[in-house]
Each structure stands twice: as structure tokens, then as C-alpha cells.
Amino acid sequence: MYKVLLVDPNVQSREHTLRMLDWSQSGFVIQDFADNSADALTFIDKQKFSLILLNIKRLQSDGLQLCGLIRQISRVPIILIGGDHDFNLARQALTYQVSDYLADPALPDDLAASLQSVKWELDGKTLQDAFILPALKRKRRSQSSIIDVVKKYVKEELHRNVSLKKISDELHFNCAYLGQKFKSEENMTFNEYLLQQRMEKAKRLLEQTDMRIYEIAGEVGYTEIDWFYKKFKEYTGASANEYRKQILVTA
């Protein structure tokens, strides 16, 4: 069993966290409780914990300060629960390399998924095919991040009406937070990435198939052919028909 330090000054919310799931089945056990930052640091100094579970709602600004203090002495995984749907708070938490940030109300399934992700990290296991299974939403950060899950989703659902809001809802992430994290890791916005993937696939289909233009437009998620023509020309500098003719000439 991996030992957990629960940092939460409120007895009722502690009990709620204990009742959220079957801890013995999760592979973790809440070993100790800390009421405040000072007590938490004392516990961490004296004992070895595999995970710090911190109720950010109860500690408020002190919670982020505690994350910073922990990071000065340890790389122990940290999960924040009960956070606001506030992009700035989530962004600050990210700078401390927390394993997960569960906005209030933290649901049992989300906490279980976060614990499983940390357990895989601790066990040194490899994850695959994350986006199709709810339990794999929060993939092991050392090998791939939530952004890999987003990119996989885009690739597989490119022919549909894809949006960051829809993806963030399915993955239970704050949309603004996920958008900022995507831009930070990919050096482009989600919409820029989505356009790039649609246009590159359209180019491949124009080069490699005899599909009609309207069929290609539908294949890359455009229901309005005029909008597809406009975006394709903006992206490539040529219309779809011109692009195909150029490929035929150079072939």
C-alpha cells in the first residue's frame, strides 16, 4: 500500500474524502492527517509518503504556498482536490508540477482515476490508448501528457464537430486551463492545431485519392463546402482544385 498524507483542516471534508472510495482497492492508504502547512511539512520531514492529497478549497491560498514549500524538499506526487474552476489557480498549480487538479466538486471516479495514474507512475508502468477509457484520462506525465490524449482525440474524431470545450467536458478538465496547457506544450492554440490537422489530411486526400472535393471536406469535418474552400486556400495559397492539378503536373 502506498502511504498518503491528507492535508485538510476540516474534519467533515476529511471524512468525506475517506468515504469517496475504497482506499484499500486503490492501492493507497491515508496514513496521516495534517491541519495546516506547518504540520504537513513536519510529517513529510519525518515520514516517507508516496502521495500528498491536499484540499485546496479548505486551505485556499495557503495550499499553493504549501505546494511550493513541498517542491523545495520533495518530488512526491501531489493531488489537489476541491479547487475552483479558475484558470489562474489551475495555472499556478501547474507550475508546482502537481499530478492532478480536481475542481470542486471532486467526483469519486475522477479521484480514482488520478490515484490510478499516480500508482502507475509509482509502479513504473506504461499506459496506452488513453482517451477511450475514463480510467486512463490522466495519463502518466513522464511518458505522455493530457495533451497527447487531446491530440489522439482530434486524430480519431477529425471528421466530426471537434471543439476544445467538448474534449475538456469529456475529460473533466477546465477548458481554459486545457487550452493554455495545449498552447504551452504545442506552441500553437488548439484551434490552430485543429486547422493544421484538417488541412494536412485534406492535402493527403487530394494527393492520394480520387475523392471529390465535397467528400474530402466532409472527411475533415466541414459541412459547408464554401467554408472548406476558404480555409484551404488561406492555408495553402491555392484552391483545392488548383492544388490537385499542381500535384498531377508534378507527379
Side-chain angles (χ1 to χ4, degrees):
M1 286 286 184
Y2 290 112
K3 296 180 180 179
V4 179
L5 173 64
L6 174 58
V7 186
D8 186 342
N10 186 279
V11 175
Q12 289 184 332
S13 63
R14 284 184 189 177
E15 294 176 350
H16 173 72
T17 301
L18 285 170
R19 294 194 303 268
M20 284 181 72
L21 45 82
D22 186 340
W23 286 88
S24 62
Q25 291 295 318
S26 72
F28 291 86
V29 58
I30 296 182
Q31 184 74 17
D32 285 297
F33 301 96
D35 291 325
N36 52 54
S37 297
D39 287 348
L41 292 172
T42 299
F43 274 118
I44 294 169
D45 184 54
K46 293 182 177 180
Q47 300 184 46
K48 180 176 176 58
F49 293 96
S50 299
L51 172 67
I52 309 299
L53 185 60
L54 194 157
N55 192 315
I56 194 72
K57 180 178 181 179
R58 300 298 180 182
L59 292 172
Q60 298 181 348
S61 61
D62 288 343
L64 287 179
Q65 293 175 8
L66 177 57
C67 289
L69 294 172
I70 292 172
R71 282 292 168 256
Q72 292 178 22
I73 60 174
S74 174
R75 306 307 302 167
V76 62
I78 301 171
I79 294 177
L80 303 181
I81 60 174
D84 292 332
H85 291 271
D86 183 324
F87 165 67
N88 289 325
L89 184 61
R91 182 175 61 180
Q92 285 180 272
L94 185 63
T95 65
Y96 297 118
Q97 297 179 313
V98 300
S99 296
D100 214 341
Y101 177 96
L102 302 181
D104 197 35
L107 301 177
D109 285 348
D110 290 338
L111 178 57
S114 296
L115 291 172
Q116 188 63 72
S117 180
V118 171
K119 187 174 185 296
W120 274 317
E121 183 76 29
L122 295 170
D123 289 345
K125 293 181 179 178
T126 302
L127 306 181
Q128 294 179 346
D129 299 327
F131 104 89
I132 57 173
L133 297 175
L136 301 181
K137 288 173 188 172
R138 293 167 176 85
K139 295 175 64 181
R140 186 176 139 198
R141 266 60 173 186
S142 63
Q143 293 201 359
S144 56
S145 71
I146 189 64
I147 300 309
D148 294 310
V149 181
V150 173
K151 290 164 67 176
K152 182 178 178 65
Y153 186 103
V154 168
K155 181 178 180 180
E156 298 192 12
E157 300 292 309
L158 200 60
H159 60 292
R160 301 184 185 276
N161 182 23
V162 181
S163 71
L164 187 61
K165 178 64 168 61
K166 180 179 179 180
I167 296 173
S168 61
D169 286 346
E170 290 193 19
L171 298 180
H172 301 285
F173 268 76
N174 178 276
C175 186
Y177 162 72
L178 192 58
Q180 182 64 25
K181 183 170 175 59
F182 190 97
K183 186 174 182 180
S184 175
E185 291 197 16
E186 297 298 317
N187 294 316
M188 66 175 73
T189 66
F190 172 81
N191 286 336
E192 289 171 339
Y193 176 81
L194 178 60
L195 176 66
Q196 178 193 74
Q197 295 305 301
R198 282 177 163 159
M199 294 299 105
E200 291 300 321
K201 183 174 182 179
K203 287 167 59 178
R204 290 194 300 272
L205 293 174
L206 286 167
E207 295 167 9
Q208 301 170 12
T209 75
D210 295 326
M211 292 174 65
R212 296 179 180 275
I213 305 298
Y214 76 87
E215 293 175 324
I216 292 175
E219 190 68 20
V220 297
Y222 287 91
T223 56
E224 296 183 13
I225 187 66
D226 289 342
W227 188 243
F228 170 75
Y229 276 125
K230 174 180 172 63
K231 302 307 290 186
F232 189 88
K233 188 164 186 177
E234 288 178 355
Y235 186 82
T236 65
S239 70
N241 286 315
E242 290 170 343
Y243 184 86
R244 175 170 270 172
K245 289 177 182 178
Q246 292 171 5
I247 296 300
L248 291 174
V249 170
T250 57

